[in-house]
């Protein structure tokens, strides 16, 4: 059951698709005073949800803030990442879900300040609150999901493995990568194009020296079973003569400052402007620009920098110049040096900039700051609507920033993680939260984005990520190569990636069913075994689809780990491409998992396809059954 409480919302966020009558009762079990929702927690209460956020599956004990942020350091003390997913599931003596539908900042203190108390503080008291009850954790999630509408389902080929790297600059770089995968006989379905394919980082342009004929190149790759997936950034280069800028400027489709002038920010293309994705005309206009790339045979995109990320604004930069000039006249001491340094650092994603521009929405003019968390969502929606219209079917599409609602239009990747062991576990722990909020097609940058990857890290990361719907290896500019062929011996990677393809019949069916039935693809164990007190504390295993359980190794040098089975299961082991099984009883086991073996568990027989070079070549009818 869903109850809705309304507290002066000034904009329809679009998150909710079902009409829910207003409830006049108190928003129980919260108590509300002075614009703050609070709740006393019993000793055993656990809290799930909050989508893409850091720390454990059970969120109790930390403080979170929804504020879509371009922050490439996903360390434990952070409160926000790229998404704003304000759904929580409280599991104590009282069991209920709560969705705080608010486009701006909101803080969730989940027993951080006072370990027995939840304190939820919307910065501006303008929101809808939905309280959701149901028979089980799963039922509450499903009820919530029917409220927010069906999740995005990508085309089947998007279940293939993808290789990406910020640093493939030319057609030759991409072809070399494709060839290396072919030569190593490692399956591959997608190669990603990062910002360097563009002409001066201008959206919807192609650098003609680097890619003389993208249409022909994309056809050549497709012939080989590989799709090219270009990036699109949110901001548009401010340059007269660049038609996207000229048109948008003329039509008033960019966000405006206080005086009604286009608000100018610095991002990759240099001085840039921000499409007003909250203005339906502007959104449609921008979305239709993807046609330039679909006309070249492109079938999928990733949307980046849509928090929106701002390196600086024209306004902020001018203020900083002034400060530096003043300093010039003083004698430079350490404190003024640090002052100036901080001024420059603070230019990035500055709160003052987010307060300095406006959107034209159907509800009137709104300040960006108050609706900040909707921007990435609306960019994804812009692309999704246009691409569905242009293609007659959904594209491959995923985004960095998001709000609930965007789950209907695309997936998400979890942004700029690091080549750190802790980020394998972090990624695992993010998946169920994302799934609760409807983001099913998701995954992390395999091998880690920032920092240098090592062979063992990549093997372990992939052995987990082969279960994530979005399976993409991606790395930052200037980092060490981390493709599956980069570490000399390719066999070990070929076996792992082949296992992914062998599992696609099961994984894609699980994804599709999760979409159709408003369910989760990844679940914490406790969702399936509610009365099992041990299952409720397991933070490094997940259920995948209706019958699999995974328990990956994510520690450096570990060659074995403890796993917990809530019921007897068949252990499936892939060793050098061969599959073997073993029946295990319920309870704890210490399982040997040498580097390169993939070990997982099934409750009932599982079908495995034969390996294939790409999804198109997979034979869904030729499967073998393993497990009992
Ligand atoms: O400021 O396009 O998260 O995946 O490779 C960095 C370059 C911009 C951030 C994305 C990352 C991408 C990178 N982008």
């Amino acid at each position: 059951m869903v109850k809705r409480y309304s507290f002066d919302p000034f904009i329809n966020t679009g998150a909710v698709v079902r009409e829910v009558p207003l409830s006049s009762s108190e928003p129980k079990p919260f108590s509300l005073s002075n614009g703050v929702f609070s709740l006393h927690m019993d000793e055993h209460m656990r809290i799930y949800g909050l989508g893409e956020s850091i720390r454990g599956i059970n969120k109790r004990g930390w403080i979170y803030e929804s504020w879509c942020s371009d922050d490439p350091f996903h360390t434990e003390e952070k409160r926000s990442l790229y998404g704003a997913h304000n759904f929580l599931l409280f599991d104590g003596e009282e069991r209920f879900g709560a969705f705080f539908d608010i486009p701006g900042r909101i803080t969730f203190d989940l027993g951080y300040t006072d370990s027995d108390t939840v304190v939820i503080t919307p910065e501006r008291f303008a929101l809808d609150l939905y309280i959701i009850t149901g028979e089980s954790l799963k039922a509450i999630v499903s009820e919530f999901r029917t409220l927010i509408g069906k999740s995005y389902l990508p085309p089947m080929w998007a279940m293939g493995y993808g290789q990406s790297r910020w640093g493939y600059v030319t057609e030759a770089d991409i072809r070399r990568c494709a060839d290396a995968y072919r030569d190593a006989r490692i399956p591959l379905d997608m190669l990603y194009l990062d910002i360097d394919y563009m002409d001066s980082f201008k959206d919807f342009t192609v650098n003609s020296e680097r890619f003389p004929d993208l249409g022909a190149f994309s056809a050549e790759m497709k012939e080989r079973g590989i799709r090219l997936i270009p990036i699109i950034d949110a901001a548009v280069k401010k340059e007269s003569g660049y038609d996207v800028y000229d048109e948008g400027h003329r039509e008033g489709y960019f966000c405006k400052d206080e005086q009604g002038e286009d608000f100018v920010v610095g991002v990759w293309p240099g001085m840039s402007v921000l499409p007003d994705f909250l203005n339906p005309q502007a959104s449609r206009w921008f979305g239709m620009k993807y046609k330039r790339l679909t006309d070249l045979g492109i079938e999928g995109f990733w949307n980046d920098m849509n928090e929106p990320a701002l390196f600086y604004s024209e306004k902020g930069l001018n203020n900083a110049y002034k400060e530096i000039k003043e300093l010039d006249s003083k004698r430079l001491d350490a404190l003024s040096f640090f002052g100036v340094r901080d001024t420059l650092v603070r230019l990035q994603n500055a709160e003052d900039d987010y307060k300095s521009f406006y959107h034209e929405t159907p509800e009137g003019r709104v300040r960006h700051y108050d609706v900040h968390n909707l921007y990435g969502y609306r960019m994804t929606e812009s692309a999704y609507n246009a691409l569905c219209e242009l293609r007659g079917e959904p594209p491959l599409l995923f985004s960095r920033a998001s709000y609930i609602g965007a789950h209907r239009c695309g997936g998400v990747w979890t942004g700029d993680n690091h080549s750190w062991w802790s980020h394998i576990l972090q990624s695992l722990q993010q998946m169920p939260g994302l799934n609760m909020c409807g983001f099913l097609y998701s995954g992390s940058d395999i091998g880690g984005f920032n920092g240098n990857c090592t062979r063992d890290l990549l093997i372990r990361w992939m052995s987990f990520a082969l279960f994530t719907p979005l399976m993409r290896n991606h790395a930052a500019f200037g980092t060490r190569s981390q493709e599956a062929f980069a570490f000399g011996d390719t066999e070990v990677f070929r076996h792992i990636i082949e296992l992914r393809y062998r599992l696609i019949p099961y994984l894609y069916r699980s994804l599709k069913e999760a979409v159709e039935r408003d369910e989760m693809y990844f679940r914490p164990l406790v969702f399936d075994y509610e009365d099992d007190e041990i299952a409720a504390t397991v933070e490094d295993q997940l259920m995948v689809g209706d019958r699999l359980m995974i328990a990956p190794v994510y520690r450096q040098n570990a060659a074995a780990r403890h796993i917990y089975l809530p019921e007897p299961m068949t252990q499936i082991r892939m060793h050098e491409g061969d599959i073997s099984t073993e029946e295990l009883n319920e309870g704890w086991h210490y399982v040997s998992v040498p580097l390169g073996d993939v070990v997982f568990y099934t409750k009932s027989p599982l079908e495995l396809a034969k390996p294939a070079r790409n999804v198109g070549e997979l034979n869904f009818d030729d499967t073998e059954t393993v497990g009992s």
Side-chain angles (χ1 to χ4, degrees):
M1 197 176 72
V2 183
K3 285 192 169 175
R4 175 162 76 99
Y5 303 89
S6 201
F7 308 98
D8 296 321
F10 61 97
I11 191 169
N12 177 7
T13 65
V16 165
V17 296
R18 198 170 88 197
E19 258 193 67
V20 183
L22 262 187
S23 179
S24 53
S25 58
E26 291 290 297
K28 288 261 173 293
F30 291 111
S31 49
L32 173 60
S33 98
N34 295 324
V36 173
F37 299 88
S38 58
L39 175 76
H40 176 78
M41 289 188 277
D42 58 81
E43 195 190 336
H44 302 291
M45 180 174 268
R46 287 179 279 261
I47 308 174
Y48 305 105
L50 286 185
E52 177 194 62
S53 48
I54 49 123
R55 296 202 171 220
I57 293 174
N58 173 5
K59 300 286 171 203
R60 181 169 177 170
W62 189 242
I63 179 168
Y64 295 89
E65 192 178 84
S66 281
W67 187 258
C68 296
S69 308
D70 170 23
D71 183 338
F73 289 94
H74 306 173
T75 50
E76 285 191 27
E77 81 271 17
K78 293 299 160 68
R79 297 178 180 190
S80 318
L81 293 175
Y82 311 88
H85 306 140
N86 306 332
F87 173 71
L88 304 116
L89 184 39
F90 296 88
D91 182 20
E93 275 151 33
E94 302 245 33
R95 191 163 62 184
F96 66 101
F99 173 45
F100 294 82
D101 191 10
I102 176 170
R105 198 192 294 269
I106 180 166
T107 304
F108 302 94
D109 182 335
L110 308 179
Y112 171 76
T113 304
D114 169 356
S115 53
D116 293 332
T117 313
V118 169
V119 180
I120 296 173
T121 315
E123 193 177 64
R124 173 172 170 183
F125 199 66
L127 72 150
D128 277 313
L129 167 61
Y130 297 83
I131 302 282
I132 301 142
T133 47
E135 301 244 292
S136 61
L137 295 170
K138 283 195 213 178
I140 295 171
V141 169
S142 289
E143 179 91 87
F144 171 57
R145 296 271 299 285
T146 64
L147 186 68
I148 59 173
K150 289 266 171 287
S151 294
Y152 161 79
L153 182 70
M156 192 158 59
W157 50 264
M159 291 299 284
Y161 171 68
Q163 180 64 56
S164 183
R165 177 173 186 83
W166 179 18
Y168 299 152
V169 171
T170 63
E171 184 181 294
D173 294 339
I174 298 286
R175 193 180 286 110
R176 207 173 305 126
C177 184
D179 290 350
Y181 271 98
R182 183 199 54 207
D183 295 346
R185 292 181 299 126
I186 299 175
L188 184 72
D189 266 271
M190 288 153 289
L191 281 169
Y192 287 80
L193 305 182
D194 209 319
I195 46 176
D196 297 302
Y197 81 87
M198 296 182 210
D199 184 16
S200 312
F201 306 123
K202 286 186 279 193
D203 278 341
F204 313 114
T205 67
V206 177
N207 182 307
S208 59
E209 269 163 39
R210 296 169 176 179
F211 291 87
D213 187 345
L214 184 61
F217 184 54
S218 132
E220 172 197 325
M221 283 294 134
K222 191 141 174 223
E223 190 66 26
R224 297 170 61 170
I226 298 167
R227 282 164 171 96
L228 299 180
I229 312 296
I231 196 171
I232 299 291
D233 277 3
V236 165
K237 185 172 174 71
K238 182 180 183 224
E239 180 186 275
S240 63
Y242 165 39
D243 60 347
V244 178
Y245 169 73
D246 288 340
E247 264 175 54
H249 175 67
R250 191 177 61 233
E251 301 297 330
Y253 287 159
F254 299 125
C255 294
K256 303 276 189 304
D257 66 15
E258 192 83 47
Q259 283 74 42
E261 299 295 327
D262 290 351
F263 187 70
V264 180
V265 297
V267 215
W268 288 109
M271 289 301 182
S272 307
V273 289
L274 296 164
D276 186 357
F277 292 112
L278 277 74
N279 168 344
Q281 280 94 39
S283 163
R284 187 176 155 76
W285 164 78
F286 190 89
M288 281 298 163
K289 294 287 177 244
Y290 286 77
K291 181 167 188 298
R292 296 193 179 164
L293 291 156
T294 57
D295 282 349
L296 301 177
I298 299 297
E299 298 178 71
F301 297 89
W302 48 311
N303 281 345
D304 191 19
M305 304 294 278
N306 49 9
E307 294 70 29
L310 312 178
F311 295 163
Y312 51 83
S313 67
E314 202 168 39
K315 181 177 153 194
L317 207 54
N318 289 337
N319 289 341
Y321 285 151
K322 255 186 242 149
E323 210 175 300
I324 294 171
K325 273 232 179 82
E326 275 165 29
L327 193 117
D328 217 18
S329 55
K330 292 184 199 148
R331 214 169 60 88
L332 186 57
D333 56 44
L335 279 186
S336 15
F337 163 72
F338 287 123
V340 166
R341 188 196 60 178
D342 291 349
T343 300
L344 291 176
V345 169
R346 273 198 304 264
L347 284 178
Q348 206 164 345
N349 304 319
E351 193 164 297
D352 190 46
D353 286 336
Y354 292 125
K355 285 181 173 161
S356 303
F357 63 95
Y358 295 83
H359 298 277
E360 285 304 333
T361 79
E363 285 102 337
R365 183 172 182 254
V366 297
R367 190 167 69 146
H368 174 79
Y369 183 84
D370 295 324
V371 294
H372 174 74
N373 290 338
L374 298 184
Y375 194 79
Y377 162 21
R378 292 296 158 80
M379 180 188 185
T380 308
E381 182 180 62
S382 152
Y384 180 77
N385 288 344
L387 287 165
C388 286
E389 191 178 320
L390 292 167
R391 292 165 41 82
E393 58 183 341
L396 164 60
L397 182 64
F398 56 90
S399 174
R400 194 170 71 176
S402 60
Y403 183 81
I404 290 171
H407 70 287
R408 300 189 297 266
C409 308
V412 292
W413 94 98
T414 56
D416 299 346
N417 56 10
H418 274 75
S419 299
W420 292 340
W421 288 90
S422 61
H423 278 183
I424 303 178
L425 179 61
Q426 185 62 82
S427 163
L428 179 148
Q429 290 173 325
Q430 284 173 326
M431 292 301 138
L434 279 165
N435 276 213
M436 277 174 230
C437 297
F439 296 92
L440 301 181
Y441 187 72
S442 48
S444 60
D445 286 351
I446 299 171
F449 177 74
N450 291 301
N452 291 318
C453 186
T454 58
R455 174 177 177 270
D456 54 348
L457 179 72
L458 186 63
I459 291 172
R460 289 305 192 195
W461 204 312
M462 239 178 221
S463 304
F464 155 62
L466 75 90
F467 295 96
T468 59
L470 166 57
M471 184 187 184
R472 182 180 75 144
N473 179 329
H474 180 50
F477 196 85
T479 59
R480 177 187 188 193
S481 292
Q482 62 183 51
E483 293 85 357
F485 53 78
F487 296 97
D489 58 336
T490 50
E491 284 291 277
V492 61
F493 294 101
R494 179 162 66 82
H495 292 315
I496 295 171
I497 297 171
E498 278 183 352
L499 177 61
R500 157 64 165 222
Y501 280 74
R502 303 192 67 186
L503 280 161
I504 286 178
Y506 174 76
L507 299 180
Y508 193 63
R509 193 184 65 239
S510 300
L511 181 68
K512 207 162 161 239
E513 285 176 1
V515 169
E516 283 161 3
R517 300 175 186 166
D518 297 311
E519 289 174 359
M520 294 160 71
Y521 167 100
F522 280 123
R523 294 176 308 282
L525 268 45
V526 66
F527 280 54
D528 287 30
Y529 304 93
E530 288 201 353
D531 301 325
D532 184 329
E533 267 306 308
I534 297 175
T537 63
V538 172
E539 285 268 342
D540 58 0
Q541 301 181 196
L542 292 175
M543 305 302 298
V544 185
D546 64 3
R547 72 198 65 168
L548 292 191
M549 187 186 79
I550 58 171
V553 171
Y554 51 87
R555 289 206 175 98
Q556 186 182 5
N557 302 325
R561 61 161 285 178
H562 282 102
I563 60 128
Y564 179 68
L565 295 189
E567 62 173 306
M569 291 188 197
T570 304
Q571 181 188 76
I572 304 178
R573 177 182 299 269
M574 188 283 288
H575 171 74
E576 294 180 0
D578 295 329
I579 302 286
S580 61
T581 61
E582 189 184 336
E583 302 306 320
L584 293 186
N585 286 328
E586 62 185 86
W588 287 103
H589 300 265
Y590 191 64
V591 177
S592 150
V593 190
L595 196 63
D597 280 18
V598 178
V599 179
F600 57 107
Y601 304 84
T602 188
K603 297 200 289 183
S604 53
L606 171 76
E607 80 267 27
L608 286 180
K610 299 262 155 29
R613 286 185 303 177
N614 53 57
V615 173
E617 291 186 1
L618 267 181
N619 184 346
F620 280 60
D621 298 322
D622 183 15
T623 57
E624 72 177 277
T625 303
V626 295
S628 54

